[in-house]
Amino acid sequence: MIDVRRGADRYEGADADVAAGGPATGITTLHAFSFGPHYDPDNLRFGPVMACNEESLAPGAGFDEHPHSHTEIVTWVAEGELTHRDATGAATLVRPGDLQHLAAASGTRHVERNDGPAPLRFVQMWLAPADPAGEPSYTLVRGIADSTPYAVPAAGAVLHVRRPGAGERVAVPAAGRVYLHVVRGDLRLDGAELGPGDSARISGEPELELIAGSPAEVLIWEFS
């Protein structure tokens, strides 16, 4: 089964609330899953994935210190530079090509800001761990290479970052469940055309491939 979800159908948050009289924050959020006031009992999660948020932060905007627990938080910067600080003592700048992983475990707090002069756009994915106990931890992988897998054992998940050129083919992992998110470019999946912001939830399809219509970047999760 292949369930394609369009970026245009994501739930809008943050500055979308300005239309309702709220203050402008410089933050635009697009949620792929049920989130906060956008409650949808039929769209709570896929496998361990509880959230896949596209975040856009204007220069100077950001999320002040806030808590997380029982969540594996993986962040991928598409444009700009993300300033991150958390209670584990990590204080980093996350740039395009870097992969950030904060394991919130029993509880931690962090800050995410755009302290740079250019707009910031990133994708943040939240995964549920099988065991939420333990101590928080932070990992930053600089310049992760194309197709190099990054494992999140606590959630039984592996992330593949793929950057095919126009006309190139990418094999979809032959796992029981796969979640993919298009960061940029145009791809075709089993006859479906996918563009930036689109995603697919795949179950029981062992012989799929993506074909890039233009230079692309796609995040592909496989779940055990």
Coordinates of all heavy atoms in Angstrom, one line a residue, residues 74-82 93-101 120-123 139-148 150 159-163 183-184 217-219:
V74 N 14.6 14.2 15.3 CA 15.7 14.2 14.2 C 15.4 15.4 13.3 O 14.2 15.6 12.8 CB 15.6 12.9 13.4 CG1 16.7 13.0 12.2 CG2 16.0 11.7 14.3
T75 N 16.4 16.2 13.1 CA 16.2 17.5 12.4 C 17.1 17.6 11.2 O 18.3 17.2 11.3 CB 16.5 18.7 13.3 OG1 15.7 18.6 14.5 CG2 16.3 20.0 12.6
W76 N 16.6 18.0 10.1 CA 17.3 18.1 8.8 C 17.1 19.6 8.3 O 16.0 20.0 8.0 CB 16.8 17.1 7.8 CG 17.5 17.2 6.5 CD1 17.1 17.8 5.3 CD2 18.8 16.7 6.2 NE1 18.0 17.7 4.3 CE2 19.1 17.0 4.8 CE3 19.7 16.0 6.9 CZ2 20.3 16.6 4.2 CZ3 20.9 15.6 6.3 CH2 21.2 15.9 5.0
V77 N 18.2 20.3 8.2 CA 18.2 21.7 7.7 C 18.3 21.7 6.2 O 19.2 21.1 5.6 CB 19.3 22.5 8.3 CG1 19.4 23.9 7.7 CG2 19.1 22.6 9.8
A78 N 17.3 22.4 5.6 CA 17.3 22.5 4.1 C 17.9 23.8 3.6 O 18.6 23.8 2.6 CB 15.8 22.4 3.6
E79 N 17.7 24.9 4.4 CA 18.3 26.2 4.0 C 18.5 27.0 5.3 O 17.7 26.9 6.2 CB 17.3 27.0 3.1 CG 16.9 26.3 1.8 CD 15.7 27.0 1.1 OE1 15.4 28.2 1.6 OE2 15.2 26.5 0.2
G80 N 19.6 27.8 5.3 CA 19.9 28.6 6.4 C 20.7 27.9 7.5 O 21.4 26.9 7.2
E81 N 20.6 28.4 8.7 CA 21.4 27.9 9.8 C 20.6 27.9 11.1 O 20.0 28.9 11.5 CB 22.6 28.8 10.0 CG 23.7 28.3 10.8 CD 24.9 29.2 10.7 OE1 24.9 30.3 11.3 OE2 25.9 28.9 10.0
L82 N 20.5 26.7 11.8 CA 19.7 26.5 13.0 C 20.6 26.6 14.2 O 21.6 25.9 14.3 CB 19.0 25.2 12.9 CG 18.3 24.8 14.2 CD1 17.1 25.7 14.5 CD2 17.8 23.3 14.1
L93 N 25.5 25.0 15.8 CA 24.9 25.5 14.6 C 24.7 24.4 13.6 O 25.7 23.7 13.3 CB 25.8 26.6 14.0 CG 25.9 27.9 14.8 CD1 26.9 28.8 14.1 CD2 24.6 28.6 15.0
V94 N 23.5 24.2 13.2 CA 23.2 23.1 12.3 C 22.9 23.6 10.9 O 22.1 24.5 10.7 CB 21.9 22.3 12.8 CG1 21.8 21.0 12.0 CG2 22.1 22.0 14.3
R95 N 23.7 23.1 9.9 CA 23.6 23.7 8.6 C 23.1 22.7 7.6 O 23.0 21.5 7.9 CB 25.0 24.2 8.2 CG 25.6 25.2 9.1 CD 27.0 25.6 8.7 NE 27.6 26.7 9.6 CZ 28.3 26.4 10.6 NH1 28.6 25.2 11.0 NH2 28.8 27.4 11.4
P96 N 22.8 23.1 6.4 CA 22.4 22.1 5.4 C 23.4 21.0 5.2 O 24.6 21.2 5.1 CB 22.2 22.9 4.1 CG 21.9 24.3 4.6 CD 22.7 24.5 5.9
G97 N 22.9 19.8 5.2 CA 23.7 18.6 5.1 C 24.0 18.0 6.4 O 24.6 16.8 6.5
D98 N 23.8 18.7 7.5 CA 24.0 18.1 8.9 C 22.7 17.4 9.4 O 21.6 17.9 9.1 CB 24.3 19.2 9.9 CG 25.6 20.0 9.5 OD1 26.4 19.4 8.7 OD2 25.8 21.1 10.0
L99 N 22.9 16.4 10.1 CA 21.8 15.7 10.7 C 21.9 15.8 12.2 O 22.9 15.5 12.8 CB 21.8 14.2 10.3 CG 20.6 13.4 10.8 CD1 20.2 12.3 9.7 CD2 20.9 12.7 12.1
Q100 N 20.8 16.3 12.9 CA 20.8 16.5 14.3 C 19.8 15.5 14.9 O 18.7 15.3 14.4 CB 20.4 17.9 14.6 CG 20.2 18.2 16.1 CD 19.7 19.6 16.4 OE1 20.5 20.5 16.6 NE2 18.4 19.8 16.4
H101 N 20.2 14.9 16.1 CA 19.3 13.9 16.8 C 19.4 14.2 18.3 O 20.4 14.1 18.9 CB 19.8 12.5 16.5 CG 19.1 11.4 17.2 ND1 19.7 10.2 17.4 CD2 17.9 11.4 17.8 CE1 18.8 9.4 18.1 NE2 17.7 10.2 18.4
L120 N 15.5 30.5 7.4 CA 15.8 29.2 7.8 C 14.7 28.3 7.5 O 13.5 28.6 7.8 CB 16.1 29.1 9.3 CG 16.2 27.8 10.0 CD1 17.3 26.9 9.5 CD2 16.3 27.9 11.5
R121 N 15.0 27.1 6.9 CA 13.9 26.1 6.6 C 14.5 24.8 7.0 O 15.6 24.4 6.6 CB 13.5 26.1 5.2 CG 12.4 25.1 4.8 CD 11.8 25.3 3.4 NE 12.8 25.0 2.4 CZ 12.9 23.7 1.8 NH1 12.1 22.8 2.2 NH2 13.7 23.5 0.9
F122 N 13.7 24.0 7.9 CA 14.2 22.7 8.3 C 13.0 21.8 8.4 O 11.8 22.2 8.5 CB 15.0 22.8 9.5 CG 14.3 23.3 10.8 CD1 13.7 22.4 11.7 CD2 14.3 24.6 11.1 CE1 13.1 22.8 12.8 CE2 13.7 25.1 12.2 CZ 13.1 24.2 13.1
V123 N 13.3 20.5 8.4 CA 12.3 19.4 8.6 C 12.6 18.8 9.9 O 13.8 18.4 10.1 CB 12.3 18.4 7.4 CG1 11.3 17.3 7.7 CG2 12.1 19.0 6.1
T139 N 23.2 14.1 19.4 CA 24.2 13.7 18.3 C 24.1 14.7 17.1 O 23.0 15.1 16.7 CB 23.9 12.3 17.8 OG1 23.9 11.4 18.9 CG2 24.9 11.9 16.8
L140 N 25.2 15.1 16.6 CA 25.2 15.9 15.4 C 26.2 15.3 14.4 O 27.4 15.1 14.7 CB 25.7 17.4 15.7 CG 25.7 18.3 14.5 CD1 24.4 18.5 13.9 CD2 26.3 19.7 14.9
V141 N 25.7 14.9 13.2 CA 26.5 14.4 12.2 C 26.7 15.4 11.1 O 25.7 15.9 10.5 CB 25.8 13.1 11.5 CG1 26.7 12.6 10.5 CG2 25.6 12.1 12.6
R142 N 27.9 15.9 11.0 CA 28.2 16.9 10.0 C 28.3 16.4 8.6 O 29.0 15.4 8.4 CB 29.6 17.6 10.3 CG 29.6 18.4 11.6 CD 28.8 19.7 11.5 NE 29.0 20.6 12.7 CZ 28.2 21.6 12.9 NH1 27.2 21.9 12.1 NH2 28.4 22.4 14.0
G143 N 27.6 17.0 7.6 CA 27.8 16.6 6.2 C 27.6 15.2 5.9 O 28.4 14.5 5.3
I144 N 26.4 14.6 6.4 CA 26.2 13.2 6.1 C 26.2 12.9 4.6 O 25.6 13.6 3.9 CB 24.9 12.8 6.8 CG1 24.7 11.3 6.9 CG2 23.7 13.4 6.2 CD1 23.7 10.8 7.8
A145 N 26.8 11.8 4.3 CA 27.0 11.5 2.8 C 25.7 10.9 2.3 O 24.9 10.3 3.0 CB 28.2 10.5 2.6
D146 N 25.5 11.1 1.0 CA 24.4 10.5 0.3 C 24.3 9.0 0.5 O 25.3 8.3 0.4 CB 24.4 10.8 -1.2 CG 23.2 10.3 -1.9 OD1 22.1 10.8 -1.7 OD2 23.4 9.4 -2.8
S147 N 23.1 8.5 0.9 CA 22.8 7.1 1.1 C 23.4 6.5 2.3 O 23.2 5.3 2.6 CB 23.1 6.3 -0.1 OG 24.5 6.0 -0.2
T148 N 24.2 7.3 3.1 CA 24.7 6.8 4.4 C 23.6 6.7 5.4 O 22.9 7.6 5.7 CB 25.8 7.8 5.0 OG1 26.8 7.9 4.0 CG2 26.3 7.2 6.3
Y150 N 21.5 6.4 8.9 CA 21.6 6.8 10.2 C 20.6 6.1 11.1 O 19.4 6.2 10.8 CB 21.4 8.3 10.4 CG 21.5 8.8 11.8 CD1 22.8 9.0 12.4 CD2 20.4 8.9 12.6 CE1 22.9 9.4 13.7 CE2 20.5 9.3 13.9 CZ 21.8 9.5 14.5 OH 21.9 9.9 15.8
L159 N 17.3 6.1 8.9 CA 17.1 7.2 8.0 C 18.1 7.1 6.9 O 19.3 7.0 7.1 CB 17.1 8.5 8.7 CG 17.0 9.7 7.8 CD1 15.6 9.8 7.2 CD2 17.3 11.0 8.6
H160 N 17.6 7.2 5.6 CA 18.5 7.4 4.5 C 18.3 8.7 3.9 O 17.1 9.1 3.6 CB 18.2 6.3 3.4 CG 18.2 4.9 4.0 ND1 19.3 4.1 3.9 CD2 17.3 4.2 4.6 CE1 19.1 2.9 4.4 NE2 17.8 2.9 4.9
V161 N 19.3 9.5 3.7 CA 19.2 10.8 2.9 C 19.7 10.5 1.5 O 20.9 10.1 1.3 CB 20.1 11.9 3.6 CG1 20.0 13.2 2.8 CG2 19.7 12.1 5.1
R162 N 18.9 10.8 0.5 CA 19.2 10.5 -0.9 C 19.1 11.8 -1.7 O 18.2 12.6 -1.5 CB 18.3 9.5 -1.5 CG 18.4 8.1 -0.8 CD 19.8 7.5 -0.6 NE 20.5 7.5 -1.9 CZ 20.6 6.5 -2.7 NH1 19.9 5.4 -2.4 NH2 21.2 6.5 -3.8
R163 N 20.1 12.0 -2.6 CA 20.1 13.2 -3.4 C 20.3 12.8 -4.8 O 21.4 13.1 -5.4 CB 21.3 14.1 -2.9 CG 21.2 14.5 -1.4 CD 22.4 15.4 -1.1 NE 22.5 15.7 0.3 CZ 23.2 15.0 1.2 NH1 23.9 13.9 0.8 NH2 23.3 15.3 2.5
V183 N 12.2 16.8 0.3 CA 12.7 18.1 0.7 C 12.8 19.1 -0.5 O 12.4 20.2 -0.4 CB 14.1 18.0 1.3 CG1 14.6 19.3 1.8 CG2 14.1 17.0 2.5
R184 N 13.2 18.6 -1.6 CA 13.3 19.5 -2.8 C 13.3 18.6 -4.1 O 13.6 17.4 -4.0 CB 14.6 20.3 -2.8 CG 15.9 19.6 -2.9 CD 17.1 20.5 -2.8 NE 17.5 20.6 -1.4 CZ 17.5 21.7 -0.7 NH1 17.0 22.8 -1.2 NH2 18.0 21.7 0.5
E217 N 16.2 16.0 -3.2 CA 16.7 15.6 -1.9 C 15.5 14.9 -1.2 O 14.4 15.6 -1.1 CB 17.2 16.8 -1.1 CG 17.8 16.4 0.2 CD 18.5 17.6 0.8 OE1 17.8 18.5 1.3 OE2 19.8 17.7 0.7
V218 N 15.6 13.7 -0.7 CA 14.5 13.0 -0.1 C 15.0 12.3 1.2 O 16.1 11.8 1.2 CB 13.8 12.0 -1.1 CG1 14.8 11.0 -1.6 CG2 12.6 11.4 -0.5
L219 N 14.2 12.4 2.2 CA 14.4 11.7 3.5 C 13.6 10.4 3.5 O 12.4 10.5 3.3 CB 14.1 12.6 4.6 CG 14.7 14.0 4.6 CD1 14.2 14.8 5.8 CD2 16.2 13.9 4.7

